[in-house]
């Protein structure tokens, strides 16, 4: 009995440690590989399960992976929205820019675009379930977060998000609201003349296509020299991985629909990094500084040890070679002694170089903040939008130079048939961590 209780305690301890551990780039490796290949189902199968279950980040990511497969499994998203209601706060930076942020129960500070996307995903999910009134409610919440004047200097708004919001309004049958957001997108980026053209229609098109593109950005370590070396060394950047390909939309009978590309999400992550810097800089400086000191000391000790070992091998081999030359009575003694000495020196150099390389790689991984950086990974980087008043026969094929996706049927509401899909549109993935 005592043995069973001991094993139970060990199992609970391991389970608790597993749940407390935060996910890293490496944990997402397989899921990300399938996702960039356009296999959302397998990406969900390979999604990391041993940590952060039910937290904001993983709930958002799993919700998105389900929705792009037209599976509105949104109970966990609903739970997040309920728990996080009325938790939006303000943060004013030294540059007098105002950010809004949301602190989750697990102490993750969700970015502005992530908060808005929570409501986007819920609206999308409700529309797939045919609950168009609920879909409109969530669209309105998202719209208010984009519209409220948090600060004239730091107000958060974005044309790509406005375009997707217009698609959500069209899904729930509110074309007038969609017109407002299409005009807002054009006002922020006058290159979007096609959005202005669509906004000027009194009635929605018979068919509207909203295609989400890109696999989401990759966090990268971007150390820079600066006045504060700790803050400079832990600087993280985001690299967008979508390649913004031209998209063709063709129905079963060969009817073609022109696809228009939105701006990308670069400004979402610029904003995210600016807000993150203001919110966490003192805590991160302290934490990172301690970790840097410990890791550097360990790495330095390893480098010194392996260098000493390499030197010892070289010196020992040289001494052995000299002994062979001096004391072995053979015509080949000189040649043998030189071979032994030379081989020892080469081996010693190899040990030193390998030790240096291994130690610096471990140090790089210890200090690289992008490996453990927390953010919602599975979100689009841009979208294509197209529309048609001609009869469209499904399935509809979406094609880029690197991908082909089929839409089986639209989300139908009111006068417009709205179709939403995802195309990864990414170059072949090499290594994610």
């Amino acid at each position: 009995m005592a043995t069973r209780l001991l094993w139970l305690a060990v199992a609970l301890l391991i389970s608790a440690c597993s749940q407390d551990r935060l996910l890293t780039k490496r944990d997402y490796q397989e899921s990300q590989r399938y996702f960039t290949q356009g296999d959302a189902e397998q990406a969900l199968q390979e999604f990391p399960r041993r940590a952060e279950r039910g937290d904001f980040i993983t709930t958002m990511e799993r919700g998105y992976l389900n929705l792009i497969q037209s599976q509105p499994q949104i109970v966990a998203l609903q739970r997040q929205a309920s728990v996080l209601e009325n938790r939006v706060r303000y943060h004013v930076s030294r540059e007098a820019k105002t950010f809004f942020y949301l602190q989750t129960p697990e102490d993750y500070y969700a970015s502005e675009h992530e908060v808005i996307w929570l409501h986007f995903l819920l609206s999308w999910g409700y529309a797939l379930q045919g609950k168009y009134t609920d879909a409109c409610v969530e669209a309105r919440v998202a719209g208010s977060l984009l519209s409220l004047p948090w600060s004239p200097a730091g107000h958060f708004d974005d044309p790509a998000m406005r375009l997707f919001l217009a698609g959500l309004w069209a899904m729930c049958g509110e074309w007038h609201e969609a017109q407002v957001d299409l005009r807002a997108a054009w006002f922020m980026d006058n290159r979007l003349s096609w959005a202005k053209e669509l906004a000027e229609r009194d009635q929605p098109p018979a068919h509207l296509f909203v295609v989400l593109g890109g696999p989401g950005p990759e966090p990268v370590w971007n150390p820079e020299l600066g006045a504060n070396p700790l803050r400079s060394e832990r600087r993280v950047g985001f690299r967008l991985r979508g390649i913004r390909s031209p998209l063709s939309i063709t129905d079963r009978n060969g009817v073609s629909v022109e696809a228009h590309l939105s701006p990308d999400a670069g400004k979402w992550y610029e904003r995210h990094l600016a807000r993150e810097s203001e919110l966490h800089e003192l805590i991160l400086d302290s934490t990172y500084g301690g970790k840097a000191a410990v890791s550097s000391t360990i790495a330095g000790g390893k480098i010194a040890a392996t260098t000493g070992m390499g030197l010892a091998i070289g010196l020992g081999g040289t001494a052995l070679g000299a002994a062979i030359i001096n004391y072995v009575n053979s015509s080949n003694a000189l040649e043998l002694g030189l071979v032994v000495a030379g081989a020892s020196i080469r081996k010693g150099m190899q040990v030193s170089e390998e030790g240096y390389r291994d130690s610096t790689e471990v140090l790089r991984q210890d200090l690289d903040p992008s490996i453990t950086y927390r953010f919602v990974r599975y979100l689009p980087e841009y979208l294509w939008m197209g529309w048609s008043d001609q009869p469209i026969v499904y399935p509809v094929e979406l094609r880029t130079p690197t991908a082909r996706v089929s839409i089986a049927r639209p989300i139908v509401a009111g006068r417009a048939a709205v179709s939403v899909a995802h195309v990864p549109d990414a170059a072949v993935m090499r290594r994610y961590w």
Side-chain angles (χ1 to χ4, degrees):
M1 183 66 178
T3 303
R4 288 184 181 180
L5 290 175
L6 177 61
W7 279 110
L8 178 60
V10 171
L12 289 173
L13 179 61
I14 293 173
S15 174
C17 291
S18 174
Q19 284 299 308
D20 290 341
R21 187 180 72 83
L22 297 178
L23 296 173
T24 68
K25 269 188 183 183
R26 191 169 301 172
D27 295 311
Y28 284 91
Q29 174 76 13
E30 285 303 301
S31 180
Q32 284 278 307
R33 182 168 66 85
Y34 283 109
F35 187 61
T36 56
Q37 294 170 358
D39 191 344
E41 181 180 3
Q42 195 62 36
L44 192 56
Q45 288 292 321
E46 297 294 336
F47 191 87
R49 290 180 169 82
R50 294 186 178 180
E52 298 193 55
R53 290 182 65 87
D55 287 356
F56 178 85
I57 290 176
T58 55
T59 298
M60 289 281 289
E61 292 170 338
R62 293 175 68 88
Y64 184 74
L65 288 172
N66 276 306
L67 285 168
I68 61 176
Q69 298 178 73
S70 297
Q71 297 174 3
Q73 297 183 18
I74 59 173
V75 172
L77 290 169
Q78 292 168 328
R79 190 179 302 119
Q80 284 290 333
S82 176
V83 169
L84 301 175
E85 189 175 5
N86 299 323
R87 293 176 68 98
V88 172
R89 298 290 184 266
Y90 299 93
H91 172 68
V92 183
S93 77
R94 286 192 295 265
E95 290 79 15
K97 291 184 177 180
T98 299
F99 305 97
F100 70 82
Y101 65 88
L102 184 152
Q103 183 182 10
T104 69
E106 67 270 19
D107 282 336
Y108 172 67
Y109 290 85
S111 292
E112 292 158 310
H113 72 273
E114 293 171 349
V115 177
I116 294 166
W117 266 97
L118 170 62
H119 298 286
F120 279 178
L121 297 180
L122 281 169
S123 180
W124 181 3
Y126 283 130
L128 282 168
Q129 293 176 347
K131 300 176 181 178
Y132 301 118
T133 299
D134 291 334
C136 280
V137 169
E138 295 298 332
R140 197 169 304 281
V141 173
S144 69
L145 292 174
L146 286 168
S147 301
L148 290 177
W150 305 101
S151 160
H155 171 64
F156 179 75
D157 208 341
D158 179 79
M161 297 183 86
R162 288 285 186 170
L163 292 171
F164 189 68
L165 181 56
L168 294 174
W169 285 121
M171 283 187 217
C172 61
E174 294 288 343
W175 181 245
H176 174 71
E177 299 288 355
Q179 289 176 289
V180 172
D181 286 304
L182 288 166
R183 291 192 187 98
W186 171 77
F187 184 78
M188 282 182 279
D189 188 337
N190 291 151
R191 294 171 298 177
L192 302 174
S193 56
W194 56 267
K196 181 174 181 288
E197 174 190 339
L198 185 56
E200 290 172 349
R201 296 178 57 118
D202 292 332
Q203 301 296 331
H207 298 272
L208 180 66
F209 296 90
V210 181
V211 183
L212 303 171
E218 175 186 13
V220 293
W221 189 17
N222 187 27
E224 298 176 356
L225 294 176
N228 184 335
L230 294 180
R231 197 166 303 154
S232 300
E233 284 298 316
R234 65 163 168 78
R235 189 179 299 276
V236 172
F238 284 96
R239 181 177 65 86
L240 298 181
R241 294 181 289 163
I243 55 180
R244 298 172 59 85
S245 302
L247 175 75
S248 70
I249 305 174
T250 311
D251 84 342
R252 192 174 67 186
N253 292 339
V255 175
S256 180
V257 177
E258 184 179 5
H260 305 275
L261 185 63
S262 79
D264 65 36
K267 292 191 179 299
W268 307 358
Y269 296 96
E270 289 177 14
R271 178 88 175 182
H272 166 93
L273 292 171
R275 187 215 61 154
E276 197 77 356
S277 176
E278 293 295 336
L279 188 61
H280 293 304
E281 61 183 17
L282 294 179
I283 297 173
L284 290 176
D285 283 350
S286 174
T287 303
Y288 188 84
K291 186 174 182 180
V294 172
S295 298
S296 298
T297 301
I298 293 173
K302 288 180 179 178
I303 291 170
T306 53
T307 300
M309 184 182 299
L311 183 61
I313 292 171
L315 291 175
T318 301
L320 178 60
I324 292 172
I325 294 171
N326 290 327
Y327 298 108
V328 174
N329 185 17
S330 168
S331 60
N332 296 324
L334 176 60
E335 181 180 354
L336 179 60
L338 291 175
V339 168
V340 169
S344 300
I345 292 171
R346 284 195 298 273
K347 182 62 178 178
M349 292 177 63
Q350 180 184 348
V351 169
S352 298
E353 290 173 358
E354 288 178 354
Y356 177 82
R357 185 169 56 249
D358 292 345
S359 298
T360 52
E361 175 62 18
V362 170
L363 178 62
R364 185 193 69 79
Q365 292 195 26
D366 280 347
L367 299 186
D368 183 351
S370 71
I371 294 174
T372 56
Y373 197 84
R374 303 185 71 209
F375 73 108
V376 177
R377 283 170 167 79
Y378 293 90
L379 288 179
E381 298 175 31
Y382 43 83
L383 61 84
W384 297 270
M385 185 173 279
W387 63 93
S388 176
D389 290 312
Q390 299 183 59
I392 296 293
V393 181
Y394 287 79
V396 170
E397 184 179 82
L398 310 173
R399 184 182 293 183
T400 69
T402 60
R404 182 183 299 180
V405 175
S406 180
I407 302 176
R409 56 186 173 274
I411 302 168
V412 179
R415 299 176 181 175
V418 183
S419 299
V420 180
H422 173 261
V423 176
D425 193 36
V428 176
M429 183 178 174
R430 295 188 293 274
R431 191 177 77 163
Y432 188 63
W433 54 271

